[in-house]
Amino acid sequence: MKINNLNKDRISSLTAFCKAQKITFSDVTLLDQAFHHRSLTNEQKNAKNNERLEFLGDSVLGMVTASYLYRTLENPEGDLAKIKSAVVSEKALAPIALSMGVDKLLVMGHGEEMSGGRTKPAILADCMEAIIGAYYLDSGYKKAESFVLSFIKNEIHKVCTYGMKDFKTQLQEKFQKTHRSYPVYQVVDRNGPEHDQIFSVTVTLGNQVFGPAKGKNKKDAEQAAAKIALDSYKF
């Protein structure tokens, strides 16, 4: 295993990430680089960032997703293109990154850190692509494909089940149509330090309350609560 100058704590964190995602790296420094945001190179001379890995990973992600859609769905090309666009988007990838703990492993410049960079969807999504690129270089296409499918299948299922619209929009449209009223969201709890809080949100439809659902921010928690309502409410 290639580890170069990584300290023990960093190696331990990267190893734990790999174990949780059921992947292995021969060159852990390559995985480490995938977490290095470009803001780091603005503050540290000769520091490597993840932009080139992101470029590669974007293509691998697209290929794996397109291939899977072609093999498993009989939809026309236009539908497949829309599904692919939805599941490989920043909107889809950022929550996946948070669920994997990518935010905790990011390395970035002080300025970006102070501006909340760890929870910015664009940075999280880009890092996911960089991880895919790094894994492809380290272990080859087949293993990279397995990793991508471990999370992209679920995103495809969501789009095929619920459509392209987000859960809050779907819930509002359905509830308005049947009740001429709006869902009401409420933050019922908030835990953790200011920079790493977990929000708990409920949504009320008439006299029924659904949730609470958790998220790294209010918006994500509301989306999760809306999904619970969509799955449970009898429209």
Side-chain angles (χ1 to χ4, degrees), residues 213-225:
K214 298 182 184 296
K216 285 280 189 177
N217 53 54
K218 183 181 175 184
K219 182 179 178 181
D220 288 348
E222 287 178 346
Q223 289 289 349

Side-chain angles (χ1 to χ4, degrees), residues 61-115:
L61 172 63
M63 180 61 194
V64 170
T65 304
S67 178
Y68 179 78
L69 289 171
Y70 182 84
R71 295 195 313 268
T72 59
L73 299 179
E74 295 295 329
N75 302 51
E77 182 272 339
D79 288 350
L80 297 180
K82 289 178 182 178
I83 296 169
K84 176 176 175 286
S85 178
V87 302
V88 303
S89 66
E90 175 186 305
K91 187 175 180 180
L93 292 178
I96 293 169
L98 284 173
S99 72
M100 292 183 181
V102 166
D103 54 317
K104 296 177 176 62
L105 288 167
L106 281 166
V107 181
M108 58 186 61
H110 179 73
E112 190 63 66
E113 180 84 59
M114 291 300 99
S115 69

Side-chain angles (χ1 to χ4, degrees), residues 15-63:
T15 301
F17 174 83
C18 289
K19 184 176 181 181
Q21 305 314 318
K22 298 179 180 178
I23 59 178
T24 57
F25 268 80
S26 298
D27 184 357
V28 179
T29 60
L30 195 59
L31 174 61
D32 181 58
Q33 186 183 335
F35 291 100
H36 287 205
H37 185 251
R38 65 176 177 272
S39 60
L40 187 68
T41 56
N42 296 331
E43 299 181 13
Q44 294 184 20
K45 190 176 181 180
N46 298 324
K48 291 184 178 181
N49 63 46
N50 64 7
E51 287 187 311
R52 284 168 54 83
L53 290 173
E54 175 201 333
F55 164 77
L56 179 60
D58 175 64
S59 294
V60 176
L61 172 63
M63 180 61 194

